[in-house]
Amino acid sequence: MDCTVKQDLFSSSQGIEVSSHIKRKKFSTIVLYDEDGQSIGKLQLSLSGIYLTGCVGCRTPLAFKRARNRDGLTTWAASLKDGLLQIKIKGEVLYEKELKGECAAVYGRAKKLCLLRYELREHFLLRTSEMEAGKRVTSDCVGSC
């Protein structure tokens, strides 16, 4: 858990902001954990789909595909505030899905996260006002979740 960030995603007003290459076959993946460090699921995003383990599985909206940076990293934000999964680029909501029932209960327990990085340039914005970094959350903490 040294490579995780503590953040209450269910009450966070800003969620997590990630900069990554958005490609068709390679997913940008955020692993979500409960307070005890147990994995509860993954948020995965690519040009082909958006997935939240056990709850969401859909094609990536055309608006998201058009808004991404084709030549480099795309900065996007994901939030789960009050059970509403939102994906944004430049503040514009490009995907939205309300989590209900068991999905809302499971992801309401998300208190820690990490970004599985495949390239050193991929990263997330550490907001110290909402996040508490684990001991190893540094530039060399690549994919160590």
Side-chain angles (χ1 to χ4, degrees):
M1 296 286 70
D2 288 347
C3 261
T4 63
V5 171
K6 188 173 184 178
Q7 180 183 25
D8 185 351
L9 289 172
F10 224 65
S11 63
S12 170
S13 60
Q14 299 179 14
I16 180 171
E17 188 173 300
V18 176
S19 292
S20 64
H21 288 279
I22 306 294
K23 299 185 178 189
R24 183 161 306 285
K25 294 184 180 179
K26 187 193 91 145
F27 286 93
S28 292
T29 302
I30 299 170
V31 183
L32 303 169
Y33 302 91
D34 67 12
E35 186 70 39
D36 298 325
Q38 298 296 311
S39 175
I40 58 174
K42 296 177 184 174
L43 174 62
Q44 297 179 291
L45 175 73
S46 76
L47 285 180
S48 59
I50 297 173
Y51 302 95
L52 185 63
T53 306
C55 296
V56 173
C58 65
R59 289 185 170 187
T60 303
L62 188 56
F64 186 91
K65 293 176 184 180
R66 288 182 179 150
R68 74 180 166 100
N69 179 358
R70 295 177 187 271
D71 299 321
L73 298 177
T74 298
T75 299
W76 54 278
S79 67
L80 289 168
K81 183 161 176 62
D82 298 326
L84 183 64
L85 171 61
Q86 288 187 332
I87 311 283
K88 302 175 187 177
I89 294 179
K90 295 180 182 174
E92 183 181 354
V93 176
L94 300 173
Y95 176 79
E96 189 172 78
K97 173 78 175 178
E98 182 180 358
L99 302 181
K100 296 181 181 180
E102 187 177 339
C103 288
V106 167
Y107 288 99
R109 297 190 341 254
K111 304 295 182 201
K112 297 179 182 179
L113 59 94
C114 73
L115 172 65
L116 290 183
R117 295 185 288 182
Y118 300 102
E119 298 176 22
L120 283 175
R121 296 184 322 165
E122 294 181 345
H123 62 277
F124 65 90
L125 176 64
L126 183 64
R127 288 191 177 95
T128 55
S129 62
E130 288 190 0
M131 299 172 160
E132 181 182 324
K135 295 176 191 172
R136 289 191 53 228
V137 176
T138 63
S139 61
D140 68 347
C141 191
V142 178
S144 297
C145 298

